[in-house]
Amino acid sequence: MKDSAVTAEQTRPARRTTGDLARAAVSGWLGTAMEFMDFQLYSLAAAIVFNKLFFPDVSPAIGLIAAMATYGVGYVARLAGAVYFGRMGDRIGRKKVLFLTILLMGASTTLIGVLPTYATIGVMAPVLLVVLRLVQGFGAGAEIAGATVLLAEYAPARRRGLISSLVSLGTNSGTLAASGLWAVLLSVLSEDQLLSWGWRLPFLLSFALMIFAVWLRRGLKESPVFEQRADVVDGVALARDEVEAVIAGPGQGPENGLAAGVRQRKGKAFFLALGLRFGQAGNSGVIQTFLVGYIATNLAVGRSVPTDAIVYGSLAGFATVPLVGLLGDRIGRRVLYLALTLLTAVLAFPVLFLIASGSTAGVMAGMVLGLNVGVLGLFSLESVTMAELFGARTRFTQLALAKEIGGILATAIGPVLAATLTAVTGSWWPIAAMLVVYSLITFVSAYLAPETRGRDLVRLEDAV
């Protein structure tokens, strides 16, 4: 067993300069932007060209289903990545894991751009596509959680909400970049050019972004909170039996914080975080996924109107996200959560009424409002609140699992349920009702949760 003595030298506050903080902030934003850009690049390619390139021997409908299935396997891999890398990040540090996740995501995305198609190697083409998709999802499963943890642990307590919100801005940046790249390709290339070589360009261009992100993270210093943890010796967290030996040793005791971190019964903070995640993820699935198709199919507006509304809403999010982060630092996380979720529930029916009016202005206003209040605003709060809910010993693992499980449950089920309910009722009101239910789940979770603003993130135990 390694030397388990925890000295004052090891727990002394770690110094970080403004430059270190800036590097961590850019790294967190860029990693999340890459994650969402990679997934958006893939989802658009799956919908536009992959059925023809990798599944040409089946009907167009079956080819599209197969292409979208390869998109879906990434979400299974995300959960596995959350477990694997989350535990690694709590054990050996945030920096090392984030270097690995960015490398996995970037390399797999770039390699998709050089894949031979079905016409060249037959059935091995879709097999390799699925393998790369699994690798991509495996790395992405811990990327946003790791970036969230790193930024929260780097930031000064009084600015933690604002700085942590940069992770949320990465989602807007990545989605807009990927959508913009595909929009340019579709507008300037013929279908033959797109299918022969054009589809590869967005994936290959991501290589340059990966190189910059890898360089940035190589020079990143470890989280100061990880270095100050009472259970970390020589850069590695002590195992449970080693911690118990320290607690039982001479001159040690519960007052050193180790006992609370190891012996606390886990679960309450995790389920509260899951509830906080559920509202944001559920609203996102309904607004950003289901409503886009619903508007284009059922309302007499141009097919570009709902996607344009998402773009405008995402652009507005560059103001909404940091504003919510700043307000959370000023008035607290809990009260802002209660206000935003209650506001979303109150606005759900008026927003859907605007959208269902069928006017372009109504659709735009409803989508932008719903996206910024019910999705992006909550995402900004989620970035810091979930990090503050968990103790430093298991923060990375619990946060990654809460994000991925909540996202899979709410985002995967939501659009399917919304489609079923609207088909049965022939009306838009079930969509509004779902937004109300999702928001109230998060409202109750926020009501039951403690206020976490300013919490000492070096503490090993959860907030509840």
Side-chain angles (χ1 to χ4, degrees):
M1 185 177 75
K2 65 177 67 121
D3 181 9
S4 299
V6 181
T7 66
E9 175 71 19
Q10 290 164 333
T11 58
R12 187 172 59 194
R15 293 183 178 275
R16 293 291 182 269
T17 66
T18 302
D20 293 330
L21 176 59
R23 194 180 190 99
V26 174
S27 171
W29 164 78
L30 184 60
T32 305
M34 274 191 66
E35 174 188 346
F36 277 77
M37 186 180 80
D38 290 351
F39 267 61
Q40 185 73 356
L41 284 177
Y42 192 99
S43 65
L44 290 171
I48 297 169
V49 297
F50 279 177
N51 59 322
K52 301 172 185 176
L53 294 169
F54 292 94
F55 308 96
D57 281 357
V58 296
S59 70
I62 298 300
L64 181 58
I65 292 171
M68 295 309 293
T70 63
Y71 173 73
V73 298
Y75 283 93
V76 178
R78 287 179 70 99
L79 187 56
V83 175
Y84 180 81
F85 286 118
R87 295 181 67 181
M88 184 186 293
D90 284 326
R91 177 76 171 163
I92 65 172
R94 295 31 168 142
K95 172 190 171 180
K96 295 174 184 176
V97 167
L98 285 172
F99 181 81
L100 291 174
T101 57
I102 205 79
L103 198 60
L104 281 175
M105 289 194 310
S108 57
T109 301
T110 302
L111 287 174
I112 288 174
V114 298
L115 271 182
T117 63
Y118 188 94
T120 305
I121 61 170
V123 73
M124 281 304 298
V127 170
L128 291 173
L129 183 64
V130 170
V131 169
L132 289 177
R133 179 63 177 154
L134 287 170
V135 173
Q136 188 187 59
F138 190 64
E143 171 60 37
I144 193 168
T148 298
V149 168
L150 186 76
L151 273 189
E153 292 184 344
Y154 247 94
R158 68 183 184 279
R159 290 289 182 267
R160 193 180 290 153
L162 177 61
I163 292 171
S164 297
S165 72
L166 290 175
V167 173
S168 306
L169 283 183
T171 65
N172 284 19
S173 306
T175 300
L176 288 171
S179 300
L181 279 172
W182 272 105
V184 170
L185 289 176
L186 291 171
S187 64
V188 303
L189 298 180
S190 67
E191 184 172 359
D192 286 343
Q193 290 173 323
L194 189 67
L195 291 174
S196 61
W197 54 268
W199 70 271
R200 299 181 185 276
L201 292 180
F203 297 98
L204 295 176
L205 288 172
S206 71
F207 179 75
L209 192 59
M210 180 195 73
I211 294 299
F212 176 66
V214 167
W215 169 80
L216 191 67
R217 287 192 175 176
R218 276 183 63 86
L220 188 65
K221 293 180 181 178
E222 181 54 80
S223 153
V225 167
F226 182 82
E227 291 184 349
Q228 293 175 66
R229 277 171 48 181
D231 65 331
V232 170
V233 177
D234 297 328
V236 179
L238 301 174
R240 185 184 178 91
D241 60 338
E242 293 173 319
V243 174
E244 293 288 359
V246 172
I247 295 170
Q252 302 293 330
E255 67 276 2
N256 61 22
L258 287 171
V262 173
R263 295 172 180 170
Q264 181 190 36
R265 186 174 181 179
K266 302 292 183 183
K268 188 173 182 180
F270 178 81
F271 284 108
L272 287 174
L274 200 60
L276 296 179
R277 172 70 169 152
F278 210 84
Q280 185 275 329
N283 292 345
S284 176
V286 170
I287 294 172
Q288 292 181 276
T289 301
F290 174 74
L291 273 178
V292 171
Y294 177 84
I295 292 167
T297 304
N298 294 277
L299 303 181
V301 297
R303 295 183 67 85
S304 66
V305 170
T307 52
D308 288 346
I310 293 294
V311 170
Y312 295 142
S314 297
L315 290 172
F318 283 98
T320 300
V321 167
L323 176 61
V324 170
L326 181 63
L327 287 174
D329 286 329
R330 297 283 179 86
I331 65 176
R333 325 293 184 210
R334 186 171 176 268
V335 66
L336 198 53
Y337 249 121
L338 295 173
L340 279 178
T341 50
L342 188 60
L343 183 60
T344 303
V346 169
L347 289 176
F349 280 89
V351 161
L352 262 297
F353 180 78
L354 270 177
I355 292 171
S357 69
S359 71
T360 299
V363 171
M364 289 287 184
M367 291 288 280
V368 170
L369 185 59
L371 181 62
N372 278 268
V373 176
V375 179
L376 298 179
L378 291 180
F379 199 7
S380 179
L381 269 179
E382 177 185 295
S383 296
V384 66
T385 308
M386 288 173 67
E388 292 172 329
L389 269 176
F390 299 124
R393 185 170 170 84
T394 58
R395 177 172 294 128
F396 199 150
T397 305
Q398 292 200 82
L399 197 152
L401 282 173
K403 276 187 173 291
E404 294 308 318
I405 292 174
I408 289 171
L409 289 176
T411 308
I413 294 173
V416 176
L417 181 59
T420 303
L421 292 175
T422 51
V424 170
T425 62
S427 176
W428 55 263
W429 69 260
I431 310 172
M434 287 180 65
L435 294 178
V436 171
V437 171
Y438 283 138
S439 300
L440 290 181
I441 289 173
T442 295
F443 180 90
V444 172
S445 299
Y447 180 79
L448 296 174
E451 174 56 60
T452 59
R453 179 181 57 159
R455 186 171 187 259
D456 181 6
L457 295 188
V458 181
R459 296 177 64 174
L460 299 183
E461 74 275 16
D462 294 343
V464 289

